[in-house]
Amino acid sequence: MHDVRTVRAPSMLRLAAASLAGTAIEFYDFFVYGTAAALVLGPLFFPTFSPVAGTLAAFATFGVGFVARPLGSVLFGHIGDRRGRRPVLVASLLLTGASTVAVGCVPTYDTIGVTAPLLLLVLRFLQGLGLGGEWAGAVLLTVEHAPAGRRGLWSSFPQVGPALGFLLANGVVLGLSATLSEAQFAAWGWRVPFWAAGVLALIGLWLRSSLAESPRFLEIDDHARVPLAEVVREHWRLVLLTAGALSIGYAVFYAVTTWSLAYATERLDVSRSVMLTCIMGAVLVKGSLTPLVAWLGDLHGRRPLCLIGCTATALWMFPMVALLATGEPLLMFSGFLGAMIAFITMFAVIAAYLPELYEPRVRCTGAAVGYNLGGVLGGALTPIVATALADQGGRVPWGVGAYMTGVALLSLGCFALLPETRPVPAAAAQPATG
């Protein structure tokens, strides 16, 4: 057994800040692709398609990243459960950063033909592979250092990272949109956010270089030889329930941040800058509320907040699409804001909730696989399904509202079947078995 007493735990604030910075950087890499897919990748890499078909094709390459994320969770989850949480943070950041920079270097269809979209697919797959390991590594390192009564609060810091990454990615795009002409942005401006990922990755590696390994991992005597096999054999039901439960969070986030951006700019003739501003405002509020909601989860439990968030989402989806269809900035922002508040009511506590559901020896694999399978169900499919449904309807995309409400009800049922975990200490959490 490792001697935990020799491990000098960093201050929680420093550890949480490093985890937040890392997740922000990796999600920046992931989100900047989604923004580019909504705005420019269709005509640049699928010019022979109609505008709607080109957008669908671009969203298909976007979805490949989500398909890769469960595979990344298996790969990096194995490393995290066998070798430690800390190596996962370094390897995943390197892979995601390098593949993101490479996306910015891919020639367009006019230059190399069909090879261009194929390269996009490969690099997007590598992005997803890296991000599949990032979340679990960052969250577990924070959760397993935190005191039991404040695990929700401290684990919310890496949960703020996606909001910061999104704001950074879209802020860069918004700045370029304001300073470049449409022709300049299409010619080279869209590449700049991808190139910036290289600098951000180096910053993230520096921040994470001195983090200590999780004390909970060092206490484990008997590491699982094949964590995935143990998770599938003993926790398959839990994995399926968490994937289904989390799918609505992904669906809401990417309906707001990716599909609505394409829909409003292409169908409603709303300017790119207006849409980015509305979406970024809602995400900013979401990120700001995350620690507060997570603290409430420490006080009142994880599961009640998840049930409330799912219910609110199911009730808000039809109003959201109706407000979006107006094309009025203030109304669209109101629709997005309601969706983001419902979303964070669920997802602020997920960073503590998922690890608490699994025993420590397979925690990295179990939490990562469940989390990223939810991304496939909600994140990969939503922009594609929503684009197809919106193309079949009138000005108000009621079909999108119906689809989102259905996903919310599915997630609500899954959360209802999951147990509460607060305030069981991480070391003594009782895993649910399938």
Side-chain angles (χ1 to χ4, degrees):
M1 179 175 178
H2 298 276
D3 184 1
V4 183
R5 291 172 299 178
T6 63
V7 180
R8 182 177 178 272
S11 71
M12 283 308 305
L13 186 59
R14 177 171 168 271
L15 175 64
S19 295
L20 184 155
T23 54
I25 291 166
E26 290 222 44
F27 276 89
Y28 165 89
D29 295 351
F30 203 73
F31 289 148
V32 79
Y33 190 100
T35 303
L39 296 176
V40 296
L41 295 187
L44 291 177
F45 288 87
F46 304 95
T48 60
F49 291 16
S50 69
V52 171
T55 299
L56 282 169
F59 281 153
T61 64
F62 175 72
V64 166
F66 285 97
V67 174
R69 283 172 64 168
L71 299 177
S73 67
V74 171
L75 171 64
F76 289 106
H78 183 90
I79 296 171
D81 285 324
R82 294 283 300 167
R83 303 298 178 188
R85 321 311 192 196
R86 188 174 175 273
V88 171
L89 299 184
V90 175
S92 62
L93 186 57
L94 280 172
L95 178 59
T96 308
S99 56
T100 303
V101 172
V103 169
C105 301
V106 176
T108 62
Y109 184 94
D110 289 342
T111 304
I112 59 173
V114 72
T115 304
L118 290 177
L119 285 174
L120 275 188
L121 281 173
V122 171
L123 293 172
R124 181 61 176 171
F125 181 87
L126 293 176
Q127 268 192 328
L129 204 67
L131 195 64
E134 160 63 27
W135 182 85
V139 163
L140 287 189
L141 202 61
T142 307
V143 166
E144 293 181 342
H145 274 96
R150 288 290 180 267
R151 275 204 305 270
L153 177 61
W154 286 113
S155 66
S156 72
F157 280 77
Q159 286 295 80
V160 175
L164 291 180
F166 176 84
L167 291 171
L168 183 59
N170 284 272
V172 172
V173 173
L174 186 60
L176 291 167
S177 298
T179 55
L180 301 177
S181 67
E182 290 288 337
Q184 289 173 323
F185 186 81
W188 58 268
W190 68 272
R191 299 182 184 273
V192 174
F194 291 94
W195 295 336
V199 177
L200 294 174
L202 292 176
I203 295 172
L205 289 172
W206 174 73
L207 288 171
R208 290 179 165 183
S209 61
S210 60
L211 294 181
E213 183 54 79
S214 156
R216 189 66 193 93
F217 173 80
L218 296 175
E219 289 175 343
I220 299 172
D221 282 320
D222 184 23
H223 295 281
R225 294 190 62 186
V226 185
L228 178 63
E230 190 168 320
V231 167
V232 171
R233 183 175 64 251
E234 299 183 13
H235 306 291
W236 62 270
R237 180 175 179 270
L238 178 58
V239 170
L240 294 178
L241 283 176
T242 53
L246 298 182
S247 60
I248 185 56
Y250 283 100
V252 168
F253 190 86
Y254 288 101
V256 170
T257 62
T258 302
W259 166 74
S260 68
L261 180 60
Y263 176 80
T265 53
E266 293 174 5
R267 295 283 298 276
L268 306 178
D269 293 324
V270 179
S271 76
R272 181 167 59 220
S273 297
V274 168
M275 281 304 299
L276 287 173
T277 302
C278 291
I279 295 169
M280 288 170 64
V283 173
L284 177 62
V285 175
K286 187 269 293 188
S288 302
L289 290 177
T290 301
L292 172 61
V293 179
W295 174 70
L296 292 175
D298 281 329
L299 293 179
H300 304 293
R302 327 304 189 198
R303 186 169 170 270
L305 289 177
C306 293
L307 295 173
I308 291 170
C310 276
T311 302
T313 301
L315 295 173
W316 188 247
M317 290 300 96
F318 281 108
M320 187 192 79
V321 297
L323 291 168
L324 169 64
T326 66
E328 295 294 329
L330 185 58
L331 295 178
M332 291 191 298
F333 168 73
S334 299
F336 299 153
L337 180 61
M340 287 292 100
I341 291 174
F343 162 82
I344 204 54
T345 303
M346 295 176 280
F347 265 55
V349 299
I350 289 301
Y353 196 14
L354 257 65
E356 289 169 343
L357 289 167
Y358 292 90
E359 59 183 310
R361 58 186 271 118
V362 295
R363 182 172 285 162
C364 195
T365 299
V369 170
Y371 185 82
N372 288 296
L373 280 177
V376 175
L377 295 174
L381 294 178
T382 294
I384 299 171
V385 172
T387 299
L389 289 173
D391 190 49
Q392 302 302 315
R395 181 177 177 86
V396 181
W398 296 119
V400 177
Y403 167 74
M404 297 292 290
T405 301
V407 177
L409 293 175
L410 168 67
S411 294
L412 181 63
C414 291
F415 273 124
L417 294 173
L418 288 171
E420 177 58 77
T421 58
R422 184 197 66 93
V424 180
Q430 297 298 314
T433 58

